[in-house]
Amino acid sequence: QVQLVESGGGLVQPGGSLRLSCAASGSIFRSSAMGWYRQAPGKQRELVAQINSGGSTHYRDSVKGRFTISRDNAKNTVYLQLNSLKPEDTAVYYCNLYYNRYNDYWGQGTQVTVSS
């Protein structure tokens, strides 16, 4: 069983920055794809960024050039650096660990609010 604990959310003004962290328990982290998703009120959950076990990354178009996903396998932690934040980035951000269809885990979510 894997547990994911997110941190780093908060209230920030437009144009500001935040760094989200997600710490994973267990031994499959380094072999897993890690993703950050978000869900705004009344909207479906959407993929924001993903990093595979080899370090390759993928971003949704609306965050390219502003957000950066990275991972530290020694710390079992994945990060999401959010820069140049916009009000439309406001959402609950969730961390996901995917190893296979039997090992697909979610964190509890962390709120990001972008407002002046």
Side-chain angles (χ1 to χ4, degrees):
Q1 189 74 8
V2 170
Q3 290 189 326
L4 301 174
V5 180
E6 298 125 333
S7 60
L11 172 64
V12 63
Q13 292 186 340
S17 297
L18 286 173
R19 189 194 196 199
L20 307 184
S21 300
C22 172
S25 65
S27 60
I28 62 173
F29 176 86
R30 64 176 59 243
S31 301
S32 301
M34 299 299 300
W36 285 98
Y37 291 71
R38 67 187 180 187
Q39 188 167 19
K43 295 189 176 181
Q44 290 188 331
R45 189 173 298 190
E46 61 185 20
L47 175 65
V48 176
Q50 195 168 49
I51 184 167
N52 67 17
S53 58
S56 296
T57 58
H58 168 77
Y59 298 92
R60 71 181 302 106
D61 286 347
S62 62
V63 308
K64 285 180 180 177
R66 300 189 298 122
F67 292 6
T68 303
I69 189 170
S70 61
R71 64 191 298 160
D72 185 337
N73 289 338
K75 296 183 178 179
N76 272 21
T77 300
V78 63
Y79 305 97
L80 186 68
Q81 179 69 41
L82 296 75
N83 295 331
S84 303
L85 282 160
K86 304 176 181 180
E88 51 264 42
D89 295 317
T90 295
V92 178
Y93 283 69
Y94 296 91
C95 174
N96 173 258
L97 180 151
Y98 183 84
Y99 181 69
N100 55 35
R101 62 177 176 170
Y102 304 109
N103 292 277
D104 186 1
Y105 302 97
W106 293 89
Q108 81 286 356
T110 185
Q111 177 71 47
V112 172
T113 302
V114 185
S115 175
S116 54

